[in-house]
Amino acid sequence: MSLTRDEKVYEITVIGGGPAGLFTAFYAGMRQSSCKIIESMPQLGGQLSALYPEKFIYDVAGFPKIRAQELIDRLKEQVAHFETEICLEEKVMNVVKKEDIFEITTDKGVHYSRTAIITAGVGAFEPRRLELADAEKYEKANLHYFVDDLNKFAGQKVVVFGGGDSAVDWALMLEPIAEKVTIVHRRDKFRAHEHSVENLMKSKVNVLTPFEPHALEGEDTIEKVVLRNSKTEELVTEEVDAVIVNFGFVSSLGPIKDWGLEFEKGSIVVNSKMETNIPGIYAAGDVTTYPGKIKLIAVGFGEAPTAVNNAKSYMDPGARVQPAHSSSMKM
């Protein structure tokens, strides 16, 4: 297979940037393998960052409890020990083996790798978007479906649309940072965890229920949102500097199902080496299945090194599958 000089071939390409994907990339670095992560979302972290960043996780070894976003931040810090290429907002459309190299085609281009490890969780995420006229034109201005830096909302008037865990989490996290936070939900009751809702009601966040978005006003940015009461049809207007929409996400394995992999009940079948039915393609985390599989973050952390070590052996049959202990390695 002929490649141009600029088309670098990585040893391991990780498809999916959630917790399992991040630990896979770190461990690839531990085995001194060049590594790239391709993630469909604009941020790393998968469900933990997108759906419940402020929720505590209790089943990760070594942490009696840890907030979801803090776990992702620590994983990103861990990955930073090595030179990992990270490609965000790229959806992998196809993976084809040509001679001894995989050609990985995304919606933005083509990548090349000697092996691939799929850590796609429950699949690629797409936010449920705001269905209002002109909403799309504000997406590159001050209409947000993801929050990657809370500090950019400092001193602003922020409206959060949504009634689930993520919407409530973002509203509570923004309260001490923004000038004013308003959360708008179309029902009287929130769908978030009871403890989070209790904290919301005790906070200074302006809670508007049952209201839903009716219109957005402004030239280049949203300056006002018009809200409609779901019961009385009353219209109220809020001045805003930023709008955050969290109506949930739609996830799907999408094109992965067409790559020739073996599936069972929507999950990729792997063996004890984390090998798929296609030599050179491995999988780890919630996307996998095998007899006795348990879908936990901690399990994905265990599967990641297994996938990497066997990928290393696949590329170099002389390489040890069982590596030296990490305490013996130089970081």
Side-chain angles (χ1 to χ4, degrees), residues 196-216:
S196 299
V197 176
E198 182 182 355
N199 288 339
L200 178 69
M201 295 308 175
K202 292 178 180 177
S203 74
K204 295 179 182 178
V205 173
N206 181 31
V207 178
L208 290 180
T209 62
F211 280 89
E212 56 190 355
H214 179 72
L216 306 175

Side-chain angles (χ1 to χ4, degrees), residues 244-307:
I244 299 171
V245 178
N246 199 295
F247 292 153
F249 294 81
V250 178
S251 63
S252 170
L253 289 176
I256 295 179
K257 292 184 176 180
D258 301 322
W259 298 353
L261 298 163
E262 181 184 352
F263 281 85
E264 183 180 299
K265 295 181 179 179
S267 298
I268 299 171
V269 175
V270 296
N271 61 18
S272 61
K273 297 180 180 181
M274 297 296 115
E275 294 172 320
T276 69
N277 60 303
I278 300 177
I281 298 184
Y282 300 79
D286 285 355
V287 76
T288 68
T289 189
Y290 49 80
K293 167 74 179 190
I294 303 294
K295 295 195 175 186
L296 292 174
I297 293 172
V299 173
F301 287 162
E303 294 168 350
T306 300

Side-chain angles (χ1 to χ4, degrees), residues 72-290:
I72 294 303
D73 290 342
R74 293 195 178 200
L75 284 164
K76 287 160 65 175
E77 182 183 346
Q78 196 174 34
V79 170
H81 280 293
F82 305 104
E83 294 182 5
T84 304
E85 180 78 12
I86 296 174
C87 303
L88 299 176
E89 293 189 272
E90 281 199 56
K91 183 182 292 186
V92 177
M93 309 304 292
N94 200 12
V95 177
V96 177
K97 192 171 187 178
K98 295 188 175 180
E99 297 177 16
D100 60 345
I101 293 174
F102 287 99
E103 183 179 87
I104 301 171
T105 303
T106 74
D107 55 356
K108 291 187 177 179
V110 181
H111 306 263
Y112 300 94
S113 188
R114 295 184 63 193
T115 64
I117 301 178
I118 303 169
T119 58
V122 295
F125 280 85
E126 289 288 339
R128 290 190 173 93
R129 285 179 152 72
L130 192 60
E131 295 182 359
L132 289 179
D134 297 328
E136 187 176 352
K137 81 172 187 178
Y138 296 117
E139 287 185 11
K140 294 185 178 179
N142 60 341
L143 174 59
H144 308 275
Y145 292 100
F146 301 96
V147 177
D148 56 1
D149 181 9
L150 290 170
N151 292 318
K152 67 184 177 185
F153 300 102
Q156 295 188 0
K157 299 182 184 71
V158 183
V159 166
V160 179
F161 288 126
D165 282 308
S166 293
V168 172
D169 282 351
W170 290 129
L172 289 170
M173 293 167 72
L174 285 165
E175 183 204 1
I177 298 172
E179 176 186 331
K180 178 184 178 182
V181 179
T182 299
I183 187 168
V184 179
H185 184 39
R186 62 193 176 95
R187 294 192 175 95
D188 288 316
K189 292 185 178 181
F190 287 88
R191 293 176 285 106
H193 283 75
E194 291 87 346
H195 181 66
S196 299
V197 176
E198 182 182 355
N199 288 339
L200 178 69
M201 295 308 175
K202 292 178 180 177
S203 74
K204 295 179 182 178
V205 173
N206 181 31
V207 178
L208 290 180
T209 62
F211 280 89
E212 56 190 355
H214 179 72
L216 306 175
E217 297 179 356
E219 291 296 325
D220 298 324
T221 64
I222 304 170
E223 298 170 7
K224 296 179 181 179
V225 294
V226 181
L227 310 171
R228 181 177 65 86
N229 189 296
S230 303
K231 295 180 178 178
T232 66
E233 303 293 320
E234 170 196 7
L235 296 180
V236 300
T237 301
E238 287 278 325
E239 293 186 358
V240 299
D241 298 305
V243 173
I244 299 171
V245 178
N246 199 295
F247 292 153
F249 294 81
V250 178
S251 63
S252 170
L253 289 176
I256 295 179
K257 292 184 176 180
D258 301 322
W259 298 353
L261 298 163
E262 181 184 352
F263 281 85
E264 183 180 299
K265 295 181 179 179
S267 298
I268 299 171
V269 175
V270 296
N271 61 18
S272 61
K273 297 180 180 181
M274 297 296 115
E275 294 172 320
T276 69
N277 60 303
I278 300 177
I281 298 184
Y282 300 79
D286 285 355
V287 76
T288 68
T289 189
Y290 49 80

